[in-house]
Amino acid sequence: MAKNDTLDTEDKVRLLRQLAFHVHRKVPLAEALLELVEQELRGSRRRVYRAAAEALAEDDPAKALHAI
């Protein structure tokens, strides 16, 4: 069985809505994205979010969003 290394459209929409909610509430983008990625890393999709976590460690939120 092939491993799923990408998110489907519904998951991407859910993530972007959560991110937009946090940013709308004046949470800095990097902080909000880090919180969401850490939350997803605790879930079942560790492989998908690993690259995003590495990009956030380098203080590059744009690269993290691109990785997702």
Side-chain angles (χ1 to χ4, degrees):
M1 181 191 310
K3 293 182 181 177
N4 189 2
D5 290 341
T6 61
L7 296 175
D8 61 2
T9 304
E10 292 176 14
D11 287 333
K12 289 178 184 178
V13 169
R14 179 184 53 80
L15 180 76
L16 288 175
R17 281 186 179 165
Q18 289 176 337
L19 185 60
F21 175 77
H22 288 294
V23 170
H24 176 74
R25 294 186 53 95
K26 307 294 185 209
V27 177
L29 175 64
E31 183 180 323
L33 189 56
L34 179 63
E35 181 181 330
L36 292 174
V37 167
E38 286 177 348
Q39 193 175 53
E40 293 294 331
L41 281 172
R42 284 185 238 124
S44 63
R45 302 220 170 159
R46 181 167 174 83
R47 171 172 258 169
V48 175
Y49 289 97
R50 189 177 303 143
E54 291 171 0
L56 285 171
E58 299 171 1
D59 289 330
D60 193 355
K63 186 176 177 183
L65 280 174
H66 183 62
I68 294 173

